[in-house]
Amino acid sequence: MVRSLARAPSIRQEHEMATTEKSPRADATSARKASRKSDNSVDAIPPIARLFPLGLQHVLAMYAGAVAVPLIVGGALGYSAGDLAFLISADLFVAGIATIIQSVGFWRFGVRLPLMQGVTFAAVGPMIAIGQSEGIQAVFGATIACGLFMIIVAPFFSQLLRFFPPIVTGTVILIIGLSLMRVAAGWIVDNNEDGAPPINVGFAFGTLLLIILIERFAPPALQRVSILLGLVLGTIAALFVPGMVDWSGVGDAAWFALVTPFHFGLPTFQVASIVSMLIVGLVIMTETTGDMIAVGEIVEKPVSRKQLADGLRADGLGTVIGGVFNTFPYTAFAQNVGLVSLTGVRSRFVATAAGVILIVLGLIPKVSAIVEGVPSAVLGGAGIALFGMVAASGIRTLTKVKFNNKNVLIVAISVGVALLPTVAPTIYDQFPQWFTLIFDSGISAGAITAILLNLLLNTEQMREARLSDPSIGASDAVRGPAAAALVHPDAEGTGLIPTQVLSDELAAEQGGDGMPVDVSRIELAEEDPKA
């Protein structure tokens, strides 16, 4: 009798057996749902017929921003059309390699998520200052050193993130946009000592108007590439004005050419230049951390601390490769994070396909020559929108901060110090070279100022005192590692600011949609002990 009872199925087992017998249709439905989910997982490989257009879409979303940095730096250093075309080719080539490293991954490099890599705008100011005083070789040397630094400190960066709360990151991103606006103005002026010709101003604001109209009336898919379309349409219009478009170099450009390392000579390593670029490296790692956390939430694969370190190492490796192949520091492009959210396509191999496309474009010099021939006035109009979007993204980050008097002072002084070399380029001419290399860049000067002021005015004791005051948010003070996860409920992206999808429970707990979220409660996923 006892043996018979032991063999009898439990009530739960009977229920499961009955459910299985009674609902084969439900099992088939569940299997189909699981299949669809696996087809759209991070590790799924879409068919080639879908893979290419999906990858091309990512390339179009980031192309204008990707080629802008070599155009800015090469133009500021007075490079010829041929050298500018080579810089663009090298940039696209290395961007493709860095994207493949980040999305596919190997050993301890790569976050293995759908992330695109491109040259960071944060390095533009320091690189121009270094290049004008020490030469382009010093820029590449500082870039290599920056990449090695990023690889070394990647495992420890969670401790460094406490120095980059939203008050600092938002201020730095705002400074980047404001500082680069001088570059847009320089494109419109186009080296005319008597000011910008009216036709240049007309084309600049015409291009800007085209971008606005595309954002207002075009389908969402075209809105994602509004700046690229503005450049294309503005260039087409400029073809009807003699002398506006110079594509004389396109005919001489080869259909295929290898991107050779150290094309401009062996890199040189100047201490002041390296220090300036290391600051950029910290900003890059902060931006990439936010992007990785955001895209991990979007594709429902939260990033572990190990993955975070692997992704930051990939950023550093891409930057080292950039210095070797005559280009600049690389970071994750957040506009592509927004595109992942918009399309709902989770596969990391879509980013890999985009990386292959970038490599192919980098090996076709004619493409680079066509981009180099875009009129500077048209670039200036697009630059107003592009750099303005960067500044607006910084403002959006600062909306996460409660503005008491101390935080207002941090932003005010940091922006003021950063804009001094922008509005008065000769202000530090009588200072030592090491000083000017760091502080002639408004971005570096502003970042240092914001970090130091935040540590001085937002001490740990002040933060604890404010926690008892519900009218003052804890986001004012020095934060923990989650401060890099800049949160926005709609998760659609703004171009440069990473976004993060919140669970319904956490959103409700924080007061519903659109209410400020305590990012200190957002933690990285626990590491898989089997990994």
Side-chain angles (χ1 to χ4, degrees):
M1 181 72 176
V2 173
R3 185 176 301 175
S4 175
L5 288 173
R7 292 176 180 174
S10 66
I11 295 176
R12 180 176 179 181
Q13 289 173 331
E14 289 178 352
H15 174 72
E16 290 176 351
M17 292 168 60
T19 302
T20 303
E21 292 174 358
K22 292 180 181 178
S23 48
R25 187 175 299 175
D27 288 346
T29 302
S30 301
R32 284 196 299 271
K33 288 182 178 179
S35 176
R36 284 197 299 269
K37 186 174 181 181
S38 63
D39 288 344
N40 193 29
S41 69
V42 170
D43 298 318
I45 303 178
I48 297 297
R50 293 183 60 226
L51 196 60
F52 176 76
L54 289 172
L56 181 61
Q57 181 177 239
H58 273 284
V59 172
L60 293 176
M62 56 94 70
Y63 191 90
V67 302
V69 173
L71 282 173
I72 295 170
V73 176
L77 299 182
Y79 275 30
S80 65
D83 286 339
L84 282 175
F86 183 86
L87 283 174
I88 294 171
S89 293
D91 175 31
L92 296 174
F93 178 76
V94 178
I97 293 175
T99 297
I100 293 173
I101 292 173
Q102 193 68 274
S103 59
V104 176
F106 70 93
W107 191 50
R108 299 302 300 272
F109 292 86
V111 71
R112 295 170 174 83
L113 290 175
L115 276 176
M116 297 291 296
Q117 300 289 111
V119 175
T120 177
F121 280 95
V124 169
M127 288 191 301
I128 291 176
I130 295 169
Q132 290 176 340
S133 61
E134 299 291 341
I136 194 71
Q137 295 85 358
V139 174
F140 298 142
T143 299
I144 293 172
C146 176
L148 293 174
F149 168 77
M150 292 164 65
I151 293 173
I152 293 170
V153 305
F156 314 105
F157 192 70
S158 59
Q159 282 72 37
L160 297 179
L161 279 178
R162 62 191 297 269
F163 299 111
F164 290 88
I167 186 68
V168 173
T169 54
T171 301
V172 172
I173 295 169
L174 172 62
I175 288 169
I176 292 171
L178 295 177
S179 299
L180 292 176
M181 202 57 69
R182 184 176 67 176
V183 175
W187 278 337
I188 300 173
V189 174
D190 196 19
N191 298 320
N192 287 285
E193 296 180 358
D194 298 329
I199 191 170
N200 283 19
V201 176
F203 268 94
F205 282 94
T207 303
L208 188 59
L209 178 61
L210 284 171
I211 293 170
I212 294 171
L213 293 176
I214 292 169
E215 288 283 353
R216 173 62 181 86
F217 297 107
L222 296 182
Q223 291 174 11
R224 300 297 303 177
V225 291
S226 59
I227 290 180
L228 181 64
L229 288 177
L231 286 170
V232 171
L233 295 175
T235 303
I236 292 173
L239 288 172
F240 296 95
V241 180
M244 283 288 292
V245 180
D246 180 15
W247 278 337
S248 58
V250 176
D252 297 331
W255 280 104
F256 177 82
L258 292 175
V259 178
T260 54
F262 307 126
H263 176 80
F264 296 98
L266 292 176
T268 60
F269 298 91
Q270 306 289 335
V271 175
S273 303
I274 292 173
V275 171
S276 178
M277 200 65 76
L278 293 187
I279 297 172
V280 173
L282 293 175
V283 175
I284 291 172
M285 297 175 82
T286 303
E287 292 177 354
T288 300
T289 297
D291 289 340
M292 287 190 290
I293 293 174
V295 79
E297 292 294 327
I298 291 170
V299 301
E300 298 181 358
K301 188 175 181 180
V303 178
S304 68
R305 295 190 184 279
K306 177 183 175 182
Q307 280 182 290
L308 175 60
D310 292 348
L312 294 175
R313 285 192 194 94
D315 255 20
L317 180 58
T319 298
V320 171
I321 296 172
V324 172
F325 282 92
N326 321 287
T327 184
F328 313 117
Y330 283 80
T331 186
F333 263 34
Q335 57 262 48
N336 294 93
V337 174
L339 189 58
V340 172
S341 176
L342 183 69
T343 62
V345 179
R346 303 175 180 179
S347 172
R348 60 192 172 105
F349 295 102
V350 171
T352 305
V356 173
I357 294 172
L358 286 171
I359 291 175
V360 171
L361 291 176
L363 296 175
I364 304 176
K366 280 193 182 296
V367 174
S368 302
I370 291 172
V371 174
E372 193 278 327
V374 174
S376 61
V378 173
L379 283 173
I384 293 173
L386 187 63
F387 304 148
M389 286 166 59
V390 177
S393 297
I395 294 172
R396 186 172 186 175
T397 305
L398 289 173
T399 61
K400 314 300 177 189
V401 177
K402 285 285 187 178
F403 271 101
N404 53 35
N405 289 338
K406 291 182 175 61
N407 284 333
V408 169
L409 196 62
I410 291 171
V411 177
I413 295 178
S414 300
V415 172
V417 170
L419 290 183
L420 285 177
T422 300
V423 299
T426 60
I427 188 170
Y428 298 128
D429 281 1
Q430 298 186 33
F431 281 74
Q433 189 177 47
W434 66 266
F435 183 93
T436 57
L437 283 175
I438 297 174
F439 289 94
D440 251 355
S441 165
I443 297 169
S444 298
I448 293 172
T449 304
I451 292 169
L452 295 179
L453 285 178
N454 182 62
L455 291 175
L456 177 65
L457 299 178
N458 282 324
T459 63
E460 198 69 27
Q461 291 78 7
M462 292 179 178
R463 183 183 69 83
E464 292 174 359
R466 290 176 195 155
L467 288 176
S468 61
D469 186 350
S471 65
I472 300 176
S475 60
D476 297 334
V478 174
R479 302 299 303 278
L486 307 175
V487 181
H488 191 268
D490 62 16
E492 290 183 356
T494 62
L496 285 176
I497 296 300
T499 57
Q500 186 166 355
V501 178
L502 302 176
S503 66
D504 293 337
E505 294 80 7
L506 182 55
E509 182 180 338
Q510 295 293 334
D513 292 340
M515 297 299 291
V517 178
D518 182 5
V519 295
S520 64
R521 302 224 17 229
I522 303 173
E523 297 181 354
L524 296 172
E526 292 295 328
E527 292 184 20
D528 185 353
K530 298 180 181 180

